[in-house]
Amino acid sequence: MPVPVLVVGGGSVGLLTAALLTHHGVPAVLVERRSGPSVHPRATGIGPRTVEILRELGLETAVDALAVDLRGAAGKAVARTVVEMGAGDVVTVPMPAPSTDELDVTPFRLRGVCAQDRLDAVVAADLARRGADLRWSTRLVGLAQDADGVDVELEGPDGRYSLRCTRVVAADGTHSTARTALGVGTSGPGDLGKSMINILFRADLRPHLRGMSFATCTITTPEAPGLLATVDGETDWVFHVRCDVDGGERPEDFTHERCAAVVRLAVGDPDLDVEVRSVLSWRPRSAAAESFAVGRVFLVGDAAHTVSPLGAFGLNTGVADAHNLAWKLAAVHHGGAGAGLLDTYAHEREPVAAATLDQAMRRLADPQLHWGRGPEADAARAAAGVWAAPVVHLGQRYDSAAVVDPRPELPSTVDLVLDGSPGSRVPHAWIDGVSTLDLVASRWTLLAGVAGERWLTAAANVGLSAHRVAVPWLPDEGALLVRPDGIVAMRATASATDPARFLTEVLDQVLARPVPVANA
């Protein structure tokens, strides 16, 4: 029997793709060339939508336990060295304080940043507990697809072997082997700025910090300028420094010994005990695949789009890809939807990714467009076409055949507006202590207004989970039909003549189910 879904790549997006497929009851195989989850975090910012997805998987508490508590701390700091920072010679920008409106839009928030390796460890452990087929030290060699499936060639610890799959999800990074095998090119600016070295190190900085905490700190000392980011806020850190390729430097010149010396200069303590754990080279990049889907193969995460780092949109955009795709693969696998539903993955995610890449690029020229606060910063963002970060994370909308009468236009790029419009994420509201997002619970769900008894009866007749809710964004006799990914598929402002038939026709449309042929 063919494997229903093969996930290529075991980074954060690949692991969460496998987790979401498992959550939806789809047996999946994951292959990753490394021997296990990466210990070297490339990202630390987990956005609110990703947190909601973790909550859907029941993993939000475990991830929060590993997050660095930055409540009331600095989001960004600037200092000559760590020693001088701890002595008070520092400029800080507080962690963005959510407005009253923002505090009402999501049911759970992490207490601070969580490094990518910690996130991956939680997801990988949960997959192992669920008995998922995780094949480490295994790489994709090639693939070929036909009308019925995909033949992949893999190389593992015991050599090469072939695997027949129904579909493949490629989460294998910026230099995706799967994307190359498909012949899919990329568009966009490509590489940006200077080559960088990411140093993961262990050193107890607490005596120098003297109680200060932050997400990132720009170190300005001429001897070792760079960006210091917290992993655990105490002894584990990453430090990003430039690799002067134009001046003759090479990434391999950054040995562990040299990196330790660079860290000591940045900290300002020549006697600091430093353990360099890992060194990676990287370069900011902005590019998108020309297509996110080819036949039975789907691109997610960096394989589909590489987002420049300012704004912390890259990882979160990839997780949103996985969330959009997993329930659709599950619906087709279980026979509840036609294969045409899978076409809506690229239709929905490509425009969102393009908008996100654009927003990250607009911030790149002036970081204050992201970090700035107050009326002047708001005016500067408006002039530069920069959306508020919550809009990028939570406010983007889908326009596809999987949404009835979509409203893709954004009501505002300054304020996050979640009003129940088709194509948007269902608004969060507490209903008897339970969030509306939790009511959805990864399945098709009808939310009916307080006078929506006919909708509730109809939902029961067609096998839908349904709940009566009293909220300002839903008329008393209205209803929202919400997809398993929390996106509003249909909004009705009043009761239909035949609600059960209406709901059936809506589901037939959005799920691309074949229309029964009447008897001749």
Side-chain angles (χ1 to χ4, degrees):
M1 291 292 291
V3 171
V5 181
L6 173 70
V7 179
V8 182
S12 301
V13 174
L15 288 168
L16 280 165
T17 301
L20 286 161
L21 288 168
T22 302
H23 178 68
H24 284 290
V26 179
V29 173
L30 180 145
V31 296
E32 165 55 45
R33 59 181 177 80
R34 295 172 306 209
S35 59
S38 175
V39 300
H40 198 138
R42 292 172 173 83
T44 58
I46 299 179
R49 187 60 176 139
T50 299
V51 175
E52 292 174 356
I53 294 167
L54 292 170
R55 182 180 174 88
E56 185 178 337
L57 293 170
L59 300 178
E60 81 281 15
T61 302
V63 173
D64 191 50
L66 294 178
V68 180
D69 191 349
L70 292 178
R71 291 171 292 190
K76 179 180 175 62
V78 180
R80 189 173 182 276
T81 65
V82 173
V83 169
E84 292 170 69
M85 181 195 321
D89 190 3
V90 60
V91 176
T92 61
V93 178
M95 286 294 287
S99 67
T100 302
D101 290 340
E102 289 176 45
L103 288 172
D104 290 336
V105 301
T106 192
F108 186 85
R109 293 178 180 272
L110 295 183
R111 56 184 179 165
V113 297
C114 182
Q116 194 172 359
D117 63 316
R118 295 179 160 214
L119 169 66
D120 292 356
V122 169
V123 181
D126 186 68
L127 281 167
R129 283 192 296 270
R130 294 171 182 266
D133 190 345
L134 307 180
R135 304 184 186 183
W136 305 105
S137 302
T138 301
R139 69 183 183 93
L140 175 70
V141 177
L143 60 83
Q145 59 180 317
D146 54 39
D148 300 315
V150 187
D151 291 307
V152 299
E153 186 175 2
L154 303 170
E155 184 172 46
D158 298 324
R160 291 195 177 189
Y161 63 99
S162 298
L163 198 64
R164 179 72 170 175
C165 312
T166 303
R167 291 179 175 84
V168 172
V169 179
D172 53 344
T174 300
H175 305 292
S176 168
T177 300
R179 190 183 65 227
T180 300
L182 294 170
V184 174
T186 61
S187 61
D191 290 337
L192 306 165
K194 301 290 185 179
S195 294
M196 304 292 293
I197 301 296
N198 181 336
I199 305 167
L200 173 66
F201 70 95
R202 181 166 290 153
D204 190 353
L205 301 186
R206 286 173 291 184
H208 295 311
L209 288 170
R210 302 179 189 178
M212 183 173 180
S213 57
F214 56 85
T216 65
C217 179
T218 300
I219 300 295
T220 62
T221 178
E223 289 81 8
L227 182 71
L228 180 67
T230 183
V231 174
D232 71 353
E234 296 180 349
T235 61
D236 290 342
W237 310 86
V238 290
F239 189 51
H240 299 267
V241 295
R242 286 187 177 182
C243 177
D244 186 8
V245 175
D246 295 336
E249 283 188 328
R250 303 170 301 167
E252 52 266 35
D253 294 334
F254 285 81
T255 63
H256 281 213
E257 292 75 15
R258 179 180 175 183
C259 289
V262 168
V263 167
R264 291 187 183 101
L265 290 169
V267 173
D269 179 356
D271 300 317
L272 183 70
D273 184 13
V274 179
E275 175 194 350
V276 175
R277 300 179 59 204
S278 175
V279 180
L280 297 177
S281 61
W282 68 284
R283 190 172 181 180
R285 182 173 174 79
S286 179
E290 292 173 353
S291 176
F292 286 13
V294 178
R296 292 174 173 268
V297 183
F298 303 85
L299 306 180
V300 298
D302 285 352
H305 44 72
T306 307
V307 185
S308 56
L310 188 57
F313 301 137
L315 167 64
N316 297 292
T317 304
V319 174
D321 294 338
H323 193 237
N324 181 285
L325 179 60
W327 75 269
K328 296 175 181 178
L329 288 169
V332 175
H333 172 75
H334 293 306
L341 174 65
L342 299 178
D343 294 337
T344 67
Y345 167 68
H347 293 162
E348 292 183 347
R349 292 305 300 166
E350 287 177 2
V352 168
T356 303
L357 263 67
D358 175 69
Q359 286 301 305
M361 284 294 295
R362 290 174 185 268
R363 286 162 163 77
L364 193 63
D366 181 6
Q368 282 301 109
L369 292 171
H370 181 70
W371 285 102
R373 296 291 178 268
E376 290 185 5
D378 290 341
R381 276 190 284 270
V386 170
W387 303 351
V391 176
V392 182
H393 282 290
L394 289 168
Q396 299 198 57
R397 300 180 172 201
Y398 293 150
D399 182 357
S400 79
V403 179
V404 177
D405 296 329
R407 304 290 177 86
E409 63 282 352
L410 294 179
S412 172
T413 60
V414 176
D415 299 310
L416 177 61
V417 178
L418 294 169
D419 57 6
S421 292
S424 67
R425 198 269 271 147
V426 65
H428 155 68
W430 293 112
I431 307 298
D432 296 328
V434 179
S435 170
T436 46
L437 274 73
D438 298 333
L439 292 177
V440 174
S442 309
R443 62 184 181 236
W444 284 94
T445 301
L446 187 83
L447 300 180
V450 293
E453 187 62 39
R454 295 182 68 237
W455 285 115
L456 297 176
T457 301
N461 289 338
V462 300
L464 285 175
S465 172
H467 304 273
R468 192 195 309 268
V469 297
V471 290
W473 35 266
L474 184 58
D476 289 353
E477 295 187 356
L480 296 186
L481 181 60
V482 186
R483 304 185 334 189
D485 59 351
I487 299 299
V488 177
M490 179 279 300
R491 176 170 61 185
T493 57
S495 183
T497 303
D498 185 343
R501 180 177 179 180
F502 177 78
L503 290 174
T504 299
E505 291 175 347
V506 168
L507 288 168
D508 286 343
Q509 173 188 328
V510 298
L511 290 170
R513 296 194 296 211
V515 178
V517 178
N519 294 328

